[in-house]
Amino acid sequence: MTINFFDNDLNSLHDKLVNKEITVTELTQATLDNIEKTDDQLNAFITTNAQEAMKKASEIDEKGEFTHVLSGLPVALKDNLSTKGIPTTGASHILEGFKPVYDATVVDKLQNAGAISVGKANMDEFAMGGSTETSYYKQTTNAWDHTKVPGGSSGGSAAAVAGGLVPFALGSDTGGSIRQPAAFNGIVGLKPTYGRVSRWGLFAMASSLDQIGPFTRTVKDNALVLNTIAGFDAKDSTSSNRDVPDFTSKLSGDVKGLKIAVPKEYFGEGIDPKVAATVKAAIAQLEALGAIVDEVTLPHTKYGVAAYYIIMSSEASSNLQRYDGVRYGFRADNVKTLEDLYVKTRSEGFGDEVKRRIMLGTFSLSAGAYDAFFKKAAKIRTLLIEDFNKVFEDYDVIVGPTAPTVAYGLGEEIDDPTAMYLADVLTIPVNLAGLPGLSVNAGFVDGLPVGLQIIGKPFDEQTVYQTGFAYEQASRLFEKKPDIAKAY
């Protein structure tokens, strides 16, 4: 049998299972068959988990209990989320073949809900990149055009959902790594408030910036997944103990009186005019639905990229010290001393982008550079937070483009790190401020999706979803399908 995730949301799939129109075993097998048949076009998966997935599907069928909306539904997990006994590589040679001995908290929560992991999604190596081109294993492609990048670093997760291989996936977002690939692939991606979702079991890149979040085809599906993975975790000292609300509670389609701020900086130099026009049309549609829209200023936005790459690389250089060839993962051959082991293992095990960021971070934290770089970057971060706080005194959400362009061609920017870094100019401030940010499809430019980014107050994902849902229901853009849908 075949299964079409383009025309079935999470609730409809759940209903089919409850009403015994399809079994979990059939659904899981159909998902694995679809991956085998079509993933050679997308290269979304590093590893598939067929044996364990089918075993769990059989167990759920035997019990016949579907008390959770995700029970029996397949999910793809970004390959930097720890999965017990299943290869988890961070798309790096240095962790090739590594099998963790525990599951990440979000993986535990999904398993407890009855979701079935069908595989680990491709990504930029250790989440360092914006195109999934730094992966050691393969190059993922865009679901709408296989000559274009899927975005990154969670490109595999985004392509798997956009290409109809799974109904939902998890990714991680340090500077836009959920929202940008969601935008490039025309789907919904959320970076929750920092602390809303436990990071325990996520391979750390930048500990004060990383956050796990969901990819889905619709806003409601996204809210349903966040309902499942959010919440306090005693294992993660940065997780919040705030109550987790029902994130679907405001999905009425009503935004009358909602106050929307549109930063003028988000439509400045470097933003493709066609992208800007598409996003402005989406904002006009929200205004037509009754929202109040005003232009505002976030004056320190222009410093965000510079501050981010200093803070992020500094934290990454510290976090990646654990990969030394001694405890786990790849170990270089023909070494004579411990120092030789460290140098050769890291030289051979890490890719160029990872080495670049380690070197930049190590320099920024050095005695001669700390005050001049890291300390100033931290001050800029504070100024960015103050900019957002000031706007949120008067407005409910901030709206603008997710990315300055649509997806670019494979190989176009991989040799120009600065250009790729600047592509995150619109998403980075959200991570620095720890805010929730959602990307939904705003339309198309030259046949490629454009992302509309909706930024909310801390821990106010409900209003972010409310805004995205109202636009989504009015535009109906989630009904558009890439050509790969014809394969089903």
Side-chain angles (χ1 to χ4, degrees), residues 309 404 408 412-425:
Y309 275 95
Y408 46 86
E412 273 187 24
E413 293 190 4
I414 190 64
D415 294 323
D416 188 352
T418 303
M420 195 171 287
Y421 296 170
L422 290 172
D424 294 333
V425 63

Side-chain angles (χ1 to χ4, degrees), residues 310-428:
I310 290 171
I311 292 170
M312 176 276 298
S313 60
S314 296
E315 294 185 13
S317 69
S318 176
N319 280 322
L320 268 64
Q321 288 184 62
R322 70 194 68 183
Y323 305 110
D324 54 12
V326 175
R327 288 162 288 185
Y328 43 75
F330 169 75
R331 177 181 296 193
D333 296 325
N334 301 318
V335 295
K336 297 178 180 178
T337 66
L338 183 60
E339 183 177 354
D340 194 25
L341 172 65
Y342 290 164
V343 172
K344 288 195 70 175
T345 295
R346 289 167 174 166
S347 296
E348 297 172 17
F350 288 139
D352 289 344
E353 183 60 29
V354 174
K355 293 174 186 174
R356 183 180 294 117
R357 298 193 190 195
I358 289 172
M359 291 172 68
L360 175 60
T362 303
F363 171 77
S364 298
L365 292 174
S366 64
Y370 182 85
D371 287 344
F373 293 98
F374 186 82
K375 198 171 180 179
K376 285 185 179 178
K379 290 179 178 179
I380 291 171
R381 184 179 197 170
T382 300
L383 293 172
L384 283 164
I385 292 170
E386 290 174 353
D387 284 351
F388 280 117
N389 288 343
K390 185 175 181 181
V391 170
F392 281 130
E393 288 176 2
D394 300 311
Y395 295 91
D396 299 304
V397 292
I398 295 169
V399 171
T402 305
T405 66
V406 293
Y408 46 86
L410 296 169
E412 273 187 24
E413 293 190 4
I414 190 64
D415 294 323
D416 188 352
T418 303
M420 195 171 287
Y421 296 170
L422 290 172
D424 294 333
V425 63
L426 302 172
T427 52
I428 276 171

Side-chain angles (χ1 to χ4, degrees), residues 167-196:
F168 72 104
L170 293 190
S172 65
D173 190 312
T174 305
S177 290
I178 291 174
R179 289 158 291 153
Q180 185 246 34
F184 280 8
N185 285 276
I187 58 173
V188 180
L190 176 84
K191 184 208 88 72
T193 306
Y194 184 80
R196 173 66 87 184

Side-chain angles (χ1 to χ4, degrees), residues 2-34:
T2 59
I3 185 69
N4 187 345
F5 293 129
F6 294 102
D7 300 320
N8 288 279
D9 62 15
L10 298 183
N11 282 124
S12 67
L13 289 168
H14 175 71
D15 290 343
K16 288 182 191 306
L17 292 171
V18 170
N19 297 327
K20 301 191 184 305
E21 296 174 39
I22 185 175
T23 67
V24 181
T25 300
E26 290 171 337
L27 178 61
T28 305
Q29 187 61 63
T31 301
L32 292 166
D33 290 345
N34 286 346

Side-chain angles (χ1 to χ4, degrees), residues 180-221:
Q180 185 246 34
F184 280 8
N185 285 276
I187 58 173
V188 180
L190 176 84
K191 184 208 88 72
T193 306
Y194 184 80
R196 173 66 87 184
V197 177
S198 171
R199 295 184 301 109
W200 197 78
L202 171 69
F203 291 179
M205 177 169 73
S207 302
S208 74
L209 301 165
D210 301 335
Q211 189 63 184
I212 300 165
F215 289 98
T216 55
R217 295 193 62 78
T218 68
V219 171
K220 185 177 181 180
D221 281 359

Side-chain angles (χ1 to χ4, degrees), residues 226-291:
L226 187 63
N227 279 347
T228 307
I229 64 173
F232 174 71
D233 179 13
K235 300 188 196 77
D236 176 8
S237 62
T238 66
S239 75
S240 171
N241 59 6
R242 288 191 181 216
D243 290 338
V244 177
D246 177 1
F247 295 110
T248 67
S249 62
K250 288 188 176 182
L251 304 186
S252 64
D254 182 12
V255 288
K256 290 178 182 176
L258 189 81
K259 299 188 72 176
I260 295 176
V262 180
K264 65 180 183 180
E265 290 82 5
Y266 287 15
F267 292 90
E269 185 180 353
I271 310 301
D272 184 321
K274 292 180 181 178
V275 168
T278 302
V279 171
K280 286 178 179 178
I283 295 170
Q285 194 159 12
L286 284 167
E287 193 168 21
L289 293 171

